[in-house]
Amino acid sequence: MIAILGAMQEEITPILEMVGEYKTTEYANNKFYEANYKGKDLVIAYSKIGKVNSALTATVMIEKFGARALIFTGVAGALKRGIKIGEILYATSLVQHDLDITAFGHPYGFVPGSKISVQTDAKLNSIAQSVAEQLGITLKSGIIASGDQFVSGEERKSWIERTFDASAVEMEGASVAQVCDALGVPFCILRAISDEAGHKAEFDFDEFMVKSAQTSANFVLKMIERL
Ligand code: 4EH
């Protein structure tokens, strides 16, 4: 069983359209869709926005539905200049930019007993690379920073980029990473850029999120064929 997780409905609608038939199960205030795509058993869901929702949904996909690998599909805000709206990137590792106990001398993003950053699965990332080659597109990669805020300002944007050397920002990846890491499930996080997280990012987001969500979903289903 392979899990495909998004945060917003728009991020998984293209997946559900492409897999055709599916069985819906309601659990933990959410819906889980089981399907078979080209011989692969899938469980598909959108978690709703934020780190807590995405951690819960990833846990259910693994513990209740038996997911043995997890792929996140969705959109993100770009932090680094070279990464443009519509482009896809995968996370090399993930951090929580809003986790702050620096008052006690700890670095940003750190809590005692867990890691600052969690690395994604090298095998899944290399499958992503080969899909990109097959499709003839450039796949970028970098650190993704997650936090429970929509970043839409130059100051916060550049602080996150600087503090974590992050390439993109979103609101779910780091919590999914922690769950998968703790439960020993290989995972990867794919995101197509919907905005640049700066002044008035919400306007670009509204304009490009559906298209970028589709780009990421298409890419992820190509990856499924290779698993
Ligand atoms: O799931 C949330 C969505 C925005 S909140 C995180 N997603 C989109 C990624 C993302 C993002 N995250 C933080 C894209 N651009 C981002 C940014 N900062 N600049 C939302 C949006 N619309 C309706 C409801 N919630």
Side-chain angles (χ1 to χ4, degrees):
M1 184 71 94
I2 305 161
I4 301 180
L5 175 59
M8 302 176 72
Q9 180 152 28
E10 291 90 333
E11 291 172 327
I12 67 153
T13 296
I15 303 272
L16 293 178
E17 281 170 1
M18 289 184 278
V19 299
E21 274 180 31
Y22 48 82
K23 174 186 153 198
T24 307
T25 305
E26 289 196 33
Y27 188 75
N29 285 333
N30 214 341
K31 289 196 177 90
F32 296 84
Y33 308 98
E34 286 170 278
N36 188 283
Y37 182 70
K38 304 200 175 175
K40 308 282 166 28
D41 284 322
L42 304 178
V43 57
I44 303 155
Y46 72 95
S47 61
K48 296 171 281 188
I49 285 154
K51 291 187 294 177
V52 174
N53 283 328
S54 59
L56 171 62
T57 304
T59 305
V60 170
M61 289 172 122
I62 294 164
E63 293 289 306
K64 187 173 170 71
F65 290 90
R68 290 293 163 263
L70 184 149
I71 303 180
F72 191 101
T73 178
V75 300
L79 298 175
K80 289 193 188 287
R81 287 192 182 288
I83 305 172
K84 297 295 171 200
I85 291 171
E87 291 186 328
I88 313 185
L89 91 165
Y90 70 83
T92 51
S93 66
L94 296 106
V95 296
Q96 295 185 61
H97 69 73
D98 59 350
L99 183 46
D100 179 357
I101 55 164
T102 56
F104 299 95
H106 293 296
Y108 286 105
F110 178 77
V111 274
S114 46
K115 308 171 204 168
I116 291 194
S117 76
V118 180
Q119 268 173 290
T120 51
D121 184 70
K123 275 199 205 128
L124 289 172
N125 292 340
S126 84
I127 291 170
Q129 277 295 357
S130 42
V131 167
E133 281 157 32
Q134 174 201 338
L135 297 177
I137 59 171
T138 37
L139 176 65
K140 301 204 168 161
S141 65
I143 297 167
I144 292 184
S146 310
D148 287 330
Q149 50 187 241
F150 182 82
V151 177
S152 60
E154 299 302 331
E155 207 175 325
R156 183 73 188 159
K157 173 184 174 175
S158 69
W159 182 86
I160 296 168
E161 192 273 328
R162 233 178 317 121
T163 306
F164 301 99
D165 191 29
S167 294
V169 66
E170 35 87 311
M171 301 175 65
E172 297 85 14
S175 45
V176 171
Q178 275 210 8
V179 166
C180 291
D181 184 63
L183 297 176
V185 171
F187 71 100
C188 65
I189 310 283
L190 278 135
R191 297 267 187 176
I193 300 301
S194 56
D195 58 86
E196 293 178 352
H199 181 57
K200 295 196 169 164
E202 60 274 29
F203 292 94
D204 280 341
F205 179 86
D206 282 341
E207 188 173 344
F208 298 111
M209 96 79 78
V210 168
K211 179 107 194 291
S212 293
Q214 175 90 55
T215 301
S216 180
N218 287 339
F219 191 93
V220 161
L221 278 186
K222 285 268 181 268
M223 284 181 68
I224 296 293
E225 291 178 31
R226 291 174 176 251
L227 289 179

